[in-house]
Amino acid sequence: MNTIDQYAVFGSPINHSKSPRIHRLFAEQSHQNLDYVAQEVTAENFVTAVTEFFAQGGKGLNCTVPLKELAYRFATQKTERAKAAKAVNTLALRPDGSILGDNTDGIGLVNDLTVNHGIVLKDKRVLILGAGGATRGILALLLEQKPDCLIVANRTAEKALQLAIEFNHSFDGCGFDDLHDQPFDLILNATSASLSNELPPLPENLLAKNGVCYDLAYGNTPTAFVRWGKLQNASKSLDGLGMLVEQAAEAFALWRSVRPDTKAVIDLLNTER
Ligand code: NDP
């Protein structure tokens, strides 16, 4: 049994994950004695890997693509926000041996938008591009901010429509073709298009004057969507590095009962791009 508390991120692909660096910086900053590693785990070997991890004394896990729905099913208890998302990015071993599943993506995004960037969502028109796992994770938290309207547009329109039904029509779902003449104050790109340097097909005049663009994806150079936002004269065109650090901080707080200083870590990672 290890004497240092063990944490990990599971996913596939995982070799470029920044999570080990972020959590080690949090640990250093808050004087916590722990280790955090990245482990390549596919959907096929998820249950074996996660069972082994906790059997060997592991304290907590992050799960990323393509494992968030499997992690949701694995957890024996779930937070309300995990239940709303039906996806889990954080597993925590509880003192009674149960495994708690949480989803920290939504609070990570909202903290980055509202705290780090001072963006107000109340009464604003918000558009989410994409209807995959990330969108599931952020919807409940965005709705809590009481935007004037929230629309989810997806390449496969049917998936956005289904999501709207699942969330009791608290927002509208549509395809990209249905977006026209309705400028938004905030456009969130939650598609994985940026990962292949692609841009969803977006009409002209989609962004309101002084509007903000935010790509959940991030990279060492501006993503295709961040570049698009700048071309649309967005007041801010941001990527998801801040969200990544903020969602990690929520997981760290759940595991260690210590809230790390995210600004110091975001600033450091920004200097390393
Ligand atoms: P999923 O695979 O679950 O969903 C992908 C979504 O992207 C689907 O809606 C899909 O549409 C759409 N899509 C894929 N390619 C294209 C394309 N070329 N043009 C238009 N739409 C496309 O992925 P996730 O939801 O888990 O992740 C989405 C993004 O969010 C990723 O870039 C991921 O890195 C990022 N992310 C960032 C986080 C952070 O902390 N910063 C946290 C979580 C996610 P369709 O349904 O038609 O296939």
Side-chain angles (χ1 to χ4, degrees), residues 33-202:
N33 192 20
L34 62 86
D35 195 17
Y36 185 112
V37 297
Q39 190 176 323
E40 178 79 23
V41 174
T42 61
E44 290 67 37
N45 59 22
F46 174 72
V47 173
T48 309
V50 75
T51 305
E52 203 168 285
F53 175 81
F54 284 114
Q56 287 178 353
K59 300 284 189 219
L61 271 183
N62 284 133
C63 297
T64 184
V65 177
L67 307 174
K68 291 183 185 178
E69 284 169 30
L70 292 171
Y72 178 79
R73 276 184 252 154
F74 188 86
T76 48
Q77 295 172 31
K78 284 138 193 154
T79 61
E80 286 308 311
R81 57 196 186 192
K83 285 184 200 163
K86 293 202 178 89
V88 151
N89 73 341
T90 304
L91 292 171
L93 178 69
R94 308 310 272 174
D96 66 0
S98 63
I99 305 288
L100 178 69
D102 194 8
N103 190 314
T104 65
D105 283 340
I107 188 70
L109 171 68
V110 168
N111 281 346
D112 194 39
L113 286 169
T114 62
V115 180
N116 298 341
H117 296 290
I119 296 163
V120 176
L121 298 171
K122 188 167 187 308
D123 296 332
K124 295 294 165 63
R125 289 176 52 81
V126 178
L127 170 65
I128 304 178
L129 305 170
T135 296
R136 283 185 165 280
I138 63 177
L139 272 169
L141 274 289
L142 286 172
L143 287 164
E144 272 179 17
Q145 297 289 312
K146 307 258 179 277
D148 174 47
C149 91
L150 180 64
I151 290 181
V152 173
N154 195 43
R155 180 173 62 181
T156 313
E158 184 58 25
K159 262 172 77 177
L161 295 167
Q162 279 303 322
L163 205 56
I165 293 169
E166 203 182 301
F167 277 75
N168 296 319
H169 298 282
S170 46
F171 59 87
D172 288 327
C174 66
F176 292 141
D177 290 347
D178 304 310
L179 295 170
H180 40 75
D181 300 330
Q182 43 182 3
F184 291 91
D185 301 301
L186 171 65
I187 305 179
L188 296 159
N189 181 26
T191 74
S192 46
S194 289
L195 301 180
S196 46
N197 206 21
E198 288 173 47
L199 189 66
L202 301 173

Side-chain angles (χ1 to χ4, degrees), residues 190-255:
T191 74
S192 46
S194 289
L195 301 180
S196 46
N197 206 21
E198 288 173 47
L199 189 66
L202 301 173
E204 290 296 309
N205 305 322
L206 194 61
L207 187 69
K209 195 164 181 278
N210 295 322
V212 172
C213 288
Y214 190 107
D215 198 344
L216 271 64
Y218 48 85
N220 287 336
T221 54
T223 66
F225 183 74
V226 167
R227 294 199 304 274
W228 179 83
K230 287 180 178 157
L231 286 174
Q232 305 302 307
N233 293 320
S235 60
K236 294 178 190 209
S237 194
L238 307 162
D239 76 8
L241 183 70
M243 172 182 174
L244 180 77
V245 175
E246 293 295 341
Q247 63 77 29
E250 289 295 316
F252 193 91
L254 177 74
W255 295 329

